[in-house]
Amino acid sequence: GICGQYVQCCGICGLAQESREIERIIPDHKRAVDYLTMQPVLAYYVDILQLRAEQSSNIFEHLLTLSNLSIQILQSFVLGVI
């Protein structure tokens, strides 16, 4: 930098630097979000992994662990069929 200051020539450079800083500070699993609903993956995926480990065959337990996007897709499908 010049006198301890950095000159920014284009806006995207600053965004790229911020992105690198976020990647350095926050682990991948905490940054994972559904880009349509912005729901964090951790909000539902832990429950899905638990059901897999338990080898649950109860469909209602599986339906309760769906992401918001999956629920919206299923609702649209059911309403489209009716």
Side-chain angles (χ1 to χ4, degrees):
I2 302 168
C3 298
Q5 301 295 317
Y6 290 91
V7 178
Q8 183 174 334
C9 297
C10 58
I12 199 70
C13 297
L15 289 175
Q17 179 61 34
E18 291 297 319
S19 174
R20 287 190 291 273
E21 288 296 314
I22 293 293
E23 289 174 357
R24 186 180 65 80
I25 295 170
I26 300 174
D28 287 344
H29 68 278
K30 290 192 176 182
R31 288 184 282 124
V33 296
D34 178 328
Y35 291 107
L36 295 176
T37 63
M38 298 309 289
Q39 179 184 17
V41 172
L42 288 178
Y44 59 90
Y45 196 65
V46 173
D47 295 331
I48 291 172
L49 290 177
Q50 172 122 13
L51 287 175
R52 286 182 185 171
E54 294 171 356
Q55 296 182 351
S56 172
S57 60
N58 185 335
I59 188 68
F60 296 109
E61 288 180 355
H62 286 272
L63 289 173
L64 291 174
T65 62
L66 292 176
S67 69
N68 291 341
L69 179 61
S70 295
I71 291 170
Q72 291 172 5
I73 291 171
L74 280 174
Q75 287 173 343
S76 297
F77 175 74
V78 169
L79 291 175
V81 171
I82 294 178

